[in-house]
């Protein structure tokens, strides 16, 4: 059975926790896109793990994980990350595999990334880790794939500076490299999670272009980067927060405004710990953007929604959600591709009664306060998609499961 988990907003929705939660009963986890610009935080017991390249399922000692074809992999960052999780007691050897078709990030790509950002008329807000540049080289057909490390004729033709960097990792990676398509065929029928990076609104094709990532974040990427065909996907889940956040530049129509919303952004940021795992940058915060979420449901054919950070609203008396946009006197109910409209849009909001109590210890959906259930029900009706998991904290056990995804 193949389940896909994607972000249904602008990233940072809590995908890492949800993949970790579902991985307990899975066999494999495949990360199908992105690079070290992504960051997933997992809290298991008293330990917090911060992952960037390694799929979230690695925390379980008996699970195997794969860095897929659609990823761009910085080997230096990868082995630093592996050393870190090993220090935390995660023994990863013989449990991590890398697609031979994944592309490699080189030091000169990182330098090129920084210089390109400096020259942009409209800066994107890149992390400077060479991700976009690596995808660009891939598209230009002059990139370097993981499998190319072991093609001596091709490898010897690389610039000396590239070989000097890669020589340190060739042997370390060799036993991890696989033909992903064959590997997935051999493991057909196993419970497999496909883990995305960033969120659908940062997807290169369907996101808020040009303020997007350079890879694919939508569910279709699981087939392109995960070694399977699209008809092999059995279910797609989209993770979203009870509010919205965004890192970097780009339109964000439901963003909190101090003059209108007071100190709400700072409260949400501090309560929800809304700082980038990879960069430490404070995230921009705003109302839950329902037109954007409905768009994510449609473009990904979502079977289920996963609501996270609901507990951040525990002490707020009145909650608002964006249900449409107003732009130049026009009411917009669908998520537009026109960036100029999104940049000028003002959120049209609907108010909900808060629940004014802690949700932390609740484990059954029926035990949620009625106000919380009303908020969730409205989201379900608006998006025409059921909310099948509700997360009320960072820990694994702080999760309410409304259906069994593996049956």
């Amino acid at each position: 059975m193949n389940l896909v988990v994607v972000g249904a907003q602008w990233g940072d929705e809590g995908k890492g926790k949800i993949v970790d939660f579902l991985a307990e009963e899975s066999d494999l986890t495949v990360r199908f896109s992105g690079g070290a610009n992504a960051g997933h935080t997992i809290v298991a017991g008293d330990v917090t793990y911060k992952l960037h390249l390694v799929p979230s399922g690695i925390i379980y000692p008996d699970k195997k994980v794969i860095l897929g074809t659609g990823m761009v992999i910085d080997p230096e960052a990868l082995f630093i990350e592996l050393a870190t999780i090993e220090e935390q007691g995660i023994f990863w050897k013989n449990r991590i595999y890398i697609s031979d078709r994944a592309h490699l990030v080189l030091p000169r790509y990182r330098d090129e990334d920084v210089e390109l950002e400096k020259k942009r008329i409209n800066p994107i807000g890149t992390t400077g880790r060479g991700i976009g540049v690596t995808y660009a080289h891939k598209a230009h057909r002059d990139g370097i794939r993981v499998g190319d490390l072991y093609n001596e004729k091709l490898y010897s033709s690389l610039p000396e500076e590239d070989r000097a960097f890669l020589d340190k990792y060739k042997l370390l990676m060799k036993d991890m490299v696989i033909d992903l398509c064959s590997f997935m065929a051999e493991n057909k029928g196993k419970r497999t999670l496909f883990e995305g990076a960033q969120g659908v609104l940062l997807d290169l094709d369907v996101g808020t272009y040009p303020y997007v990532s350079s890879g694919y974040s939508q569910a279709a990427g699981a087939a392109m980067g995960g070694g399977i065909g699209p008809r092999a996907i059995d279910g797609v889940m989209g993770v979203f927060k009870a509010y919205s956040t965004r890192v970097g530049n780009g339109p964000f129509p439901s963003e909190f405004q101090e003059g209108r919303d007071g100190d709400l952004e700072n409260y949400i940021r501090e309560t929800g710990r809304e700082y980038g795992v990879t960069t430490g940058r404070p995230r921009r915060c705003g109302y839950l953007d329902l037109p954007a979420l409905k768009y994510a449901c449609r473009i990904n054919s979502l079977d289920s929604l996963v609501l996270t950070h609901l507990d951040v609203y525990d002490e707020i008396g009145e909650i608002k959600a964006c249900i449409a946009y107003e732009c130049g006197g026009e009411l917009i109910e669908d998520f537009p591709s026109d960036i100029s409209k999104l940049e000028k849009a003002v959120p049209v909001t609907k108010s909900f009664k808060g629940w004014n109590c802690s949700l932390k210890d609740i484990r059954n959906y029926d035990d949620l306060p009625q106000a919380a259930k009303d908020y969730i029900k409205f989201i379900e009706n608006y998006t025409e998609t059921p909310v099948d998991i509700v997360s009320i904290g960072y820990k694994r056990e702080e999760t309410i499961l409304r259906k069994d995804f593996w049956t």
Side-chain angles (χ1 to χ4, degrees):
M1 187 173 189
N2 296 321
L3 297 179
V4 179
V5 180
V6 297
Q9 295 169 309
W10 280 280
D12 309 309
E13 303 94 347
K15 296 182 296 299
K17 177 198 167 171
I18 300 306
V19 171
D20 172 71
F21 179 81
L22 294 169
E24 183 176 10
E25 296 186 27
S26 73
D27 300 302
L28 303 170
T29 302
V30 181
R31 167 89 177 271
F32 61 81
S33 66
N37 57 334
H40 292 165
T41 300
I42 297 168
V43 179
D46 296 326
V47 183
T48 298
Y49 303 94
K50 295 182 182 293
L51 304 176
H52 303 277
L53 285 163
V54 178
S56 301
I58 194 65
I59 307 303
Y60 291 96
D62 59 337
K63 308 300 180 184
K64 295 180 180 180
V65 302
I66 299 100
L67 281 66
T69 296
M71 290 189 68
V72 290
I73 300 167
D74 181 336
E76 181 179 39
L78 174 62
F79 282 96
I80 289 173
E81 185 173 330
L82 292 175
T84 299
I85 63 173
E86 188 167 345
E87 288 174 1
Q88 293 181 291
I90 302 298
F91 300 102
W92 54 267
K93 291 178 181 176
N94 301 315
R95 296 200 296 122
I96 294 183
Y97 302 93
I98 304 172
S99 171
D100 58 2
R101 289 178 168 88
H103 278 247
L104 291 164
V105 180
L106 300 173
R108 60 184 171 93
Y109 293 175
R110 298 196 293 262
D111 297 338
E112 190 178 338
D113 196 359
V114 172
E115 289 304 311
L116 280 171
E117 183 72 359
K118 288 178 181 177
K119 296 174 183 177
R120 290 185 196 273
I121 297 174
N122 298 305
I124 301 297
T126 174
T127 60
R129 284 167 168 75
I131 308 303
V133 170
T134 307
Y135 278 118
H137 281 284
K138 174 181 177 179
H140 289 155
R141 291 159 292 179
D142 60 4
I144 301 168
R145 301 183 301 173
V146 171
D148 296 336
L149 295 175
Y150 312 102
N151 179 330
E152 288 306 319
K153 181 178 180 181
L154 192 155
Y155 189 73
S156 63
S157 70
L158 297 178
E160 185 177 349
E161 64 174 311
D162 293 346
R163 283 184 281 116
F165 171 72
L166 294 169
D167 279 345
K168 294 177 287 185
Y169 303 106
K170 279 181 66 175
L171 188 58
L172 291 173
M173 294 174 67
K174 190 169 184 179
D175 290 340
M176 303 160 70
V177 179
I178 59 168
D179 177 331
L180 181 56
C181 183
S182 298
F183 182 90
M184 295 307 295
E186 291 166 3
N187 287 276
K188 185 177 180 180
K190 290 189 176 179
R191 293 180 171 187
T192 304
L193 280 169
F194 291 84
E195 176 184 22
Q198 285 86 38
V200 66
L201 300 180
L202 293 176
D203 182 89
L204 182 62
D205 287 318
V206 302
T208 51
Y209 189 88
Y211 300 98
V212 293
S213 186
S214 297
Y216 33 74
S217 304
Q218 58 179 308
M224 293 187 286
I228 60 170
R231 291 198 295 175
I233 295 173
D234 297 299
V236 184
M237 287 172 273
V239 186
F240 75 104
K241 284 188 282 207
Y243 47 91
S244 301
T245 64
R246 179 165 195 162
V247 172
N249 302 330
F252 188 10
S254 70
E255 187 170 11
F256 294 133
Q257 303 295 327
E258 186 175 355
R260 181 189 66 209
D261 306 304
D263 194 44
L264 190 54
E265 178 172 48
N266 185 62
Y267 175 84
I268 295 295
R269 181 182 293 132
E270 295 305 317
T271 306
R273 298 192 285 186
E274 295 297 350
Y275 293 88
V277 177
T278 301
T279 64
R281 289 185 293 184
R283 295 171 184 147
R284 300 157 64 190
C285 302
Y287 300 116
L288 173 61
D289 188 328
L290 285 169
L293 183 61
K294 189 174 192 175
Y295 171 73
C297 291
R298 289 172 169 174
I299 208 73
N300 289 282
S301 297
L302 294 185
D303 300 298
S304 298
L305 282 167
V306 179
L307 169 58
T308 65
H309 291 239
L310 186 62
D311 56 299
V312 174
Y313 275 148
D314 281 356
E315 297 180 10
I316 302 225
E318 182 186 51
I319 296 164
K320 293 182 180 180
C322 171
I323 59 170
Y325 315 120
E326 190 277 323
C327 184
E330 177 188 5
L331 184 68
I332 302 174
E333 296 182 318
D334 292 317
F335 191 73
S337 65
D338 189 336
I339 294 298
S340 64
K341 283 188 177 181
L342 284 172
E343 289 174 334
K344 297 173 185 175
V346 175
V348 177
T349 61
K350 177 178 173 60
S351 295
F352 300 85
K353 183 181 177 181
W355 41 92
N356 295 302
C357 64
S358 174
L359 304 181
K360 288 283 186 183
D361 296 324
I362 295 175
R363 298 294 177 264
N364 188 295
Y365 185 81
D366 291 337
D367 294 334
L368 284 171
Q370 188 59 47
K373 288 190 282 189
D374 289 344
Y375 185 57
I376 294 169
K377 188 63 178 176
F378 185 86
I379 294 168
E380 291 181 316
N381 289 338
Y382 188 101
T383 61
E384 301 176 336
T385 310
V387 174
D388 288 323
I389 297 179
V390 179
S391 173
I392 47 175
Y394 290 92
K395 298 178 181 178
R396 286 172 176 166
E397 60 269 21
E398 294 172 337
T399 309
I400 298 170
L401 189 65
R402 300 181 72 188
K403 67 177 275 190
D404 185 350
F405 287 93
W406 293 117
T407 59

